């Protein structure tokens, strides 16, 4: 890991390999470590970069973030662009985001199209939150501020994994629970506030011009298969794959299958 100054934050970043750059952007409330099944394999084929986003893992919020910070998806996309600048990466990259990382991918694609060579969207959504979901997020942000991250772990854990993962690799489940519990409470609350106000991007999907790969775990309870298929159908030429024996954390649950999909996709780009 290295520390990279990106705009007003210092990000912890894993940066390995050479060739086409894939920027791996994690979900909520996780860290770069959720890509542990991808980085050690794909780094022999590509340059793989995986930051802890501001407020997550080892990356703090900005010093002047205040008592009730908010981290918007646009801010996180700007951080990604600043990170690429800091690493002097000028050539277009492949942006691979999972769930919240996908919300960041939409903003990156919208505001930095010239920096994009391809998109990999894992287990994510194009819709904005319903008013009820927004309300729940804002309440959760207040709860976390006062009582810590335990309730977020409780709420999320049943929805993250497929049945096979719970049965065959409980250590992965335990590890993710630990990550959520250890996430900085201000960082977590800030991202909840930011996700609550994220926009619906359905109208943007047909405008995406780069090759796109859409991946979803068969048992994803947060971003269901049909919703992900509709996203792929709306993006011109997008490829769509369902990963068996996986839930919302498909890359972590079935790294072999997901690595093959990503390696074939990125390897096939001009
Ligand atoms: C994630 O995995 O990043 C979350 O499910 C995103 C969200 O809370 O909408």
């Amino acid at each position: 890991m290295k520390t990279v100054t990106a705009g007003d934050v210092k990000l912890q970043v894993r940066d390995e390999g050479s060739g086409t750059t894939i920027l791996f952007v994690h979900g909520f409330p996780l860290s770069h470590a959720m890509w542990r099944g991808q980085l050690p394999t794909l780094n022999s084929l590509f340059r793989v970069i995986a930051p802890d986003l501001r407020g997550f893992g080892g990356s703090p919020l900005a010093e002047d973030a205040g008592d009730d910070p908010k981290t918007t998806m646009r801010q996180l996309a700007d951080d990604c662009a600043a990170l690429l600048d800091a690493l002097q990466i000028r050539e277009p990259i492949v942006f691979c985001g999972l769930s919240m990382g996908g919300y960041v991918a939409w903003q990156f694609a919208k505001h930095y199209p010239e920096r994009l060579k391809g998109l990999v969207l894992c287990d994510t959504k194009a819709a904005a939150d319903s008013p009820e979901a927004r309300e729940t997020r804002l309440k959760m942000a207040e709860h976390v501020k006062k009582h810590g991250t335990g309730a977020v772990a409780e709420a999320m854990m049943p929805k993250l994994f497929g049945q096979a993962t719970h049965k065959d690799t409980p250590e992965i489940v335990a590890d993710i629970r630990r990550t959520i519990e250890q996430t900085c409470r201000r960082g977590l609350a800030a991202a909840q506030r930011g996700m609550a106000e994220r926009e619906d991007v359905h109208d943007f999907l047909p405008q995406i011009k780069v090759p796109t790969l859409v991946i979803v775990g068969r048992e994803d309870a947060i971003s269901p298969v049909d919703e992900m298929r509709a996203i792929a159908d709306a993006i011109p030429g997008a490829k769509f794959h369902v990963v068996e024996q996986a839930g919302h954390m498909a890359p972590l649950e079935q790294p072999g299958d997901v690595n093959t999909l990503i390696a074939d996709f990125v390897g096939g780009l001009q």
Side-chain angles (χ1 to χ4, degrees):
M1 293 294 279
K2 57 185 173 188
T3 306
V4 179
T5 300
D8 62 348
V9 282
K10 286 189 169 47
L11 301 180
Q12 290 295 306
V13 182
R14 204 161 146 183
D15 176 9
E16 297 162 4
S18 61
T20 298
T21 298
I22 311 178
L23 181 65
F24 287 94
V25 178
H26 62 79
F28 169 90
L30 304 173
S31 75
H32 79 282
M34 64 143 286
W35 301 110
R36 79 194 66 160
Q38 281 61 58
L39 307 179
T41 302
L42 296 177
N43 68 3
S44 62
L45 300 171
F46 311 109
R47 182 169 179 184
V48 294
I49 298 179
D52 288 347
L53 298 172
R54 66 167 71 203
F56 293 99
S59 299
L61 290 168
E63 277 178 14
D64 61 354
D67 288 341
D68 291 316
K70 175 164 57 183
T71 305
T72 64
M73 300 303 102
R74 172 68 196 272
Q75 174 71 72
L76 294 176
D78 290 346
D79 288 351
C80 290
L83 171 63
L84 296 174
D85 285 343
L87 295 174
Q88 302 194 331
I89 296 174
R90 312 252 175 262
E91 69 281 4
I93 59 131
V94 176
F95 194 118
C96 176
L98 180 132
S99 199
M100 181 183 76
Y103 310 158
V104 181
W106 304 133
Q107 294 303 312
F108 192 89
K110 229 175 181 179
H111 298 285
Y112 301 97
E114 73 289 349
R115 302 194 82 148
L116 211 50
K117 186 184 178 87
L119 268 177
V120 183
L121 298 157
C122 309
D123 304 276
T124 191
K125 287 175 182 292
D129 281 350
S130 65
E132 296 75 30
R134 204 167 292 146
E135 197 55 37
T136 304
R137 281 197 203 276
L138 297 179
K139 278 195 188 133
M140 186 62 87
E142 281 309 300
H143 183 91
V144 166
K145 186 175 158 184
K146 294 194 188 106
H147 306 292
T149 54
V152 178
E154 280 312 311
M156 290 197 76
M157 288 311 293
K159 299 189 231 158
L160 290 182
F161 298 101
Q163 280 179 19
T165 307
H166 282 288
K167 184 163 154 288
D168 301 336
T169 46
E171 64 280 5
I172 290 183
V173 178
D175 203 51
I176 287 290
R177 176 186 277 277
R178 241 187 330 270
T179 302
I180 297 176
E181 288 170 350
Q182 288 170 359
T183 300
C184 155
R185 34 171 110 177
R186 285 173 69 242
L188 191 153
Q192 281 286 39
R193 296 184 187 105
M195 285 193 287
E197 66 175 46
R198 75 185 193 283
E199 62 186 348
D200 184 298
V201 295
H202 280 106
D203 286 351
F204 173 64
L205 302 182
Q207 298 170 42
I208 293 177
K209 298 282 187 294
V210 291
T212 299
L213 171 65
V214 177
I215 297 173
V216 63
R218 172 72 71 195
E219 299 162 58
D220 190 333
I222 296 175
S223 320
V225 169
D226 287 348
E227 196 173 325
M228 290 293 288
R229 186 181 286 113
I231 289 175
D233 286 346
I235 300 174
K239 298 185 165 113
F240 177 65
H241 285 276
V242 179
V243 179
E244 301 299 336
Q245 303 217 309
H248 188 59
M249 302 298 301
L252 188 60
E253 298 178 79
Q254 296 298 339
D257 292 351
V258 171
N259 289 348
T260 301
L261 290 170
I262 294 175
D264 288 351
F265 173 71
V266 179
L269 298 176
Q270 294 306 309

